[in-house]
Amino acid sequence: MSLQVEKLENNMAKLTIEVPAEELDKAIDAAYQKNKNRISIPGFRKGKAPRKMIEQMYGKEIFYDDAANELIPDAYDKALDECTEDIVSSPKIDVTQIEAGKPFIFTAEVALKPEVTLGKYKGVKVDKADLTVTDAEVDAEIDRERDNNSRTINVEDRPVKDGDMTVIDFEGFVDGVAFEGGKGENHPLTIGSGAFIPGFEEALIGAEIGKETDVNVTFPEDYQAKELAGKAAVFKCTVKEIKEKELPELDDEFASEVSEFDTLAEYREDVKKKLEDRKASAAKDAKEQAVIDALIADAKMDIPDAMLETQQRQMVEEFAQRIQSQGLSMEQYMQFTGLTPQALLDQVKEQALKRIQSRLVMEAVAAAEKIEASDEDFEEEVKSMAEVYQMETDKVKELLGEKGAKQVREDICIKKALEFVVDNAKEAKATRSRKAAKEEAKEEA
């Protein structure tokens, strides 16, 4: 096999790969052996017709496609091993010569990893996160836990109020005429959920069980049923049931039931600490992303379309594997969502570009700072992988192979580079608007 590399514009290259004639002849004969039982030749039983007879009748090219498909994957892999360029996309294959007795020649158009010109990467300025946890935030978290531990009770001695869970009968009229789809019986509706058109749920506040209530609303201009869009309607509603949540008392007993603590004071302190930890973790992630975004904005790189398309397809494949593990195929997912394969690719395009840019700038930082993955780093990473997959470290190394091990070391360098730029970033206290400050003060009061 021989390889020629031609650099093209926009970080693209064309690999011309030549396979010796004898290998092509072997592949053609293999294609004949594979297909001869499916080919009919007058005077011969299936599978018994000589190759030359088949080629005379159907053309000598009959086995070329199968032969090419047999040769290309292995020849391309060998070309990748021989090529000194850093290829970052799937190939676009084009066969330029295929004829028995002659070398098999094909080209592979690929994207090359673009060069990155870094801007400022040390001392990048980012906003400092406010890690303060207010009493209002603690109260809100505890209220959520109370809501999770609430019980539902029937209400019969008062009218509907906001937040109630109701069961209603209704029928809608436009200009005194009932319209299709506007009638429902025993329909569950939580007041304030926003499940119905604007104004409907609010108008039921004050309604009493068993008494018909007129609800006057106007359908939105962009309502899905065009014949109703923008029109005024009257719904005749009857509330059949009212239920409400009964929250547990906020006391030591509640604290002991939902936590390991005996007192409400201890429970509140634990909730506050967990919120602080959560804020700190979110702030760390936000700082990392802010630093990466700043580096990308200040760097120069020309991302080839083929590189981006390859990343998009990879992300869609990763998504397909995730939903498959949940028992859903991509075909089913697309049926449920109405999405097409191209729409899925379009959805991940922006994220795919960010993923490429992030890795490229981190690789550039690692190179600029001469960051390396030591053997100790590598062994520690393999150990972590072994624990996750519950395997022996030697087995992990065996499965990784040379290419996988190289990838692991590159990932370690990326991680170290990110730590470096984040550690060297300068945090400035974020300025809040006067309105935001007033709202926070009002909340705390």
Side-chain angles (χ1 to χ4, degrees), residues 134 136 432-445:
T134 66
R432 294 180 303 160
S433 67
R434 188 175 298 176
K435 181 180 178 182
K438 281 184 177 180
E439 287 179 353
E440 184 175 313
K442 185 178 178 181
E443 258 187 30
E444 291 181 350

Side-chain angles (χ1 to χ4, degrees), residues 56-101:
Q56 285 178 0
M57 186 164 187
Y58 291 99
K60 61 181 181 179
E61 302 87 1
I62 185 172
F63 300 119
Y64 283 179
D65 283 349
D66 280 352
N69 291 335
E70 177 71 23
L71 289 172
I72 287 172
D74 185 56
Y76 180 71
D77 285 344
K78 289 179 179 176
L80 288 184
D81 292 337
E82 184 179 325
C83 184
T84 56
E85 301 295 337
D86 202 343
I87 295 171
V88 291
S89 76
S90 301
K92 181 181 178 183
I93 301 294
D94 184 31
V95 175
T96 57
Q97 178 174 292
I98 180 167
E99 185 177 344

Side-chain angles (χ1 to χ4, degrees), residues 348-414:
V348 302
K349 185 174 183 179
E350 186 176 340
Q351 187 182 352
L353 178 60
K354 179 63 70 70
R355 185 181 288 189
I356 291 171
Q357 291 172 325
S358 300
R359 188 170 184 91
L360 287 176
V361 294
M362 287 301 108
E363 286 177 349
V365 170
E369 293 297 320
K370 297 181 173 55
I371 294 173
E372 296 180 349
S374 67
D375 290 342
E376 185 180 345
D377 293 330
F378 176 74
E379 293 296 334
E380 190 64 32
E381 187 65 25
V382 170
K383 183 181 176 182
S384 297
M385 294 171 68
E387 289 173 356
V388 170
Y389 296 109
Q390 298 182 334
M391 298 167 61
E392 296 295 327
T393 55
D394 288 344
K395 185 62 176 178
V396 172
K397 290 178 183 177
E398 180 187 334
L399 292 173
L400 283 173
E402 188 177 337
K403 287 184 179 179
K406 182 172 180 279
Q407 182 67 53
V408 169
R409 289 181 180 273
E410 289 175 356
D411 291 345
I412 292 170
C413 290
I414 294 293

Side-chain angles (χ1 to χ4, degrees), residues 14-285:
K14 182 167 73 172
L15 313 183
T16 300
I17 301 165
E18 183 175 316
V19 179
E22 55 268 26
E23 289 189 32
L24 174 60
D25 289 341
K26 287 180 183 177
I28 292 173
D29 189 61
Y32 159 69
Q33 297 295 338
K34 175 184 173 183
N35 293 286
K36 64 181 181 180
N37 291 329
R38 298 198 294 265
I39 299 174
S40 297
I41 295 289
F44 293 91
R45 286 181 297 158
K46 277 190 177 181
K48 298 300 182 180
R51 174 178 150 189
K52 286 188 177 180
M53 290 290 295
I54 295 174
E55 289 175 337
Q56 285 178 0
M57 186 164 187
Y58 291 99
K60 61 181 181 179
E61 302 87 1
I62 185 172
F63 300 119
Y64 283 179
D65 283 349
D66 280 352
N69 291 335
E70 177 71 23
L71 289 172
I72 287 172
D74 185 56
Y76 180 71
D77 285 344
K78 289 179 179 176
L80 288 184
D81 292 337
E82 184 179 325
C83 184
T84 56
E85 301 295 337
D86 202 343
I87 295 171
V88 291
S89 76
S90 301
K92 181 181 178 183
I93 301 294
D94 184 31
V95 175
T96 57
Q97 178 174 292
I98 180 167
E99 185 177 344
K102 294 183 180 180
F104 171 57
I105 303 173
F106 68 97
T107 62
E109 192 170 306
V110 294
L112 303 180
K113 181 183 288 187
E115 291 185 6
V116 177
T117 303
L118 287 171
K120 181 179 180 180
Y121 66 89
K122 294 179 184 177
V124 175
K125 292 182 180 178
V126 293
D127 289 339
K128 185 175 182 178
D130 183 3
L131 303 181
T132 304
V133 173
T134 66
D135 288 342
E137 290 172 322
V138 174
D139 290 339
E141 187 70 15
I142 292 175
D143 283 344
R144 277 190 285 273
E145 191 62 35
R146 290 177 71 199
D147 188 70
N148 291 337
N149 287 272
S150 64
R151 66 189 185 98
T152 302
I153 59 173
N154 289 315
V155 176
E156 297 178 353
D157 58 351
R158 65 164 176 80
V160 174
K161 68 177 183 180
D162 192 24
D164 281 345
M165 294 165 282
T166 65
V167 175
I168 63 172
D169 290 345
F170 62 87
E171 186 170 15
F173 300 84
V174 172
D175 296 330
V177 179
F179 55 87
E180 186 178 352
K183 185 175 182 179
E185 293 182 351
N186 297 318
H187 187 89
L189 176 64
T190 298
I191 307 302
S193 64
F196 274 35
I197 60 175
F200 186 100
E201 294 166 28
E202 294 85 345
L204 282 176
I205 294 175
E208 297 179 11
I209 293 177
K211 293 184 179 180
E212 188 175 88
T213 301
D214 284 353
V215 173
N216 294 281
V217 294
T218 300
F219 284 97
E221 294 291 341
D222 59 351
Y223 191 65
Q224 56 185 1
K226 300 299 181 184
E227 67 277 8
L228 297 175
K231 292 189 176 179
V234 177
F235 283 87
K236 295 189 176 296
C237 304
T238 301
V239 177
K240 301 179 76 175
E241 292 181 20
I242 301 175
K243 294 183 179 181
E244 68 176 353
K245 286 183 178 180
E246 184 177 69
L247 301 179
E249 290 294 327
L250 190 56
D251 52 22
D252 290 345
E253 183 180 352
F254 167 74
S256 65
E257 288 177 354
V258 299
S259 74
E260 59 189 88
F261 303 99
D262 295 326
T263 67
L264 182 60
E266 290 174 305
Y267 173 55
R268 283 186 63 86
E269 193 59 35
D270 182 65
V271 169
K272 183 176 183 179
K273 185 181 182 307
K274 286 178 178 175
L275 287 174
E276 288 171 343
D277 291 343
R278 197 184 303 169
K279 277 195 173 185
S281 178
K284 179 178 179 292
D285 293 342

Side-chain angles (χ1 to χ4, degrees), residues 319 330-340 344 347:
F319 174 72
M330 278 297 284
E331 290 75 16
Q332 291 170 321
Y333 175 79
M334 287 189 286
Q335 283 179 348
F336 294 153
T337 62
L339 292 172
T340 63
L344 281 171
Q347 275 190 353

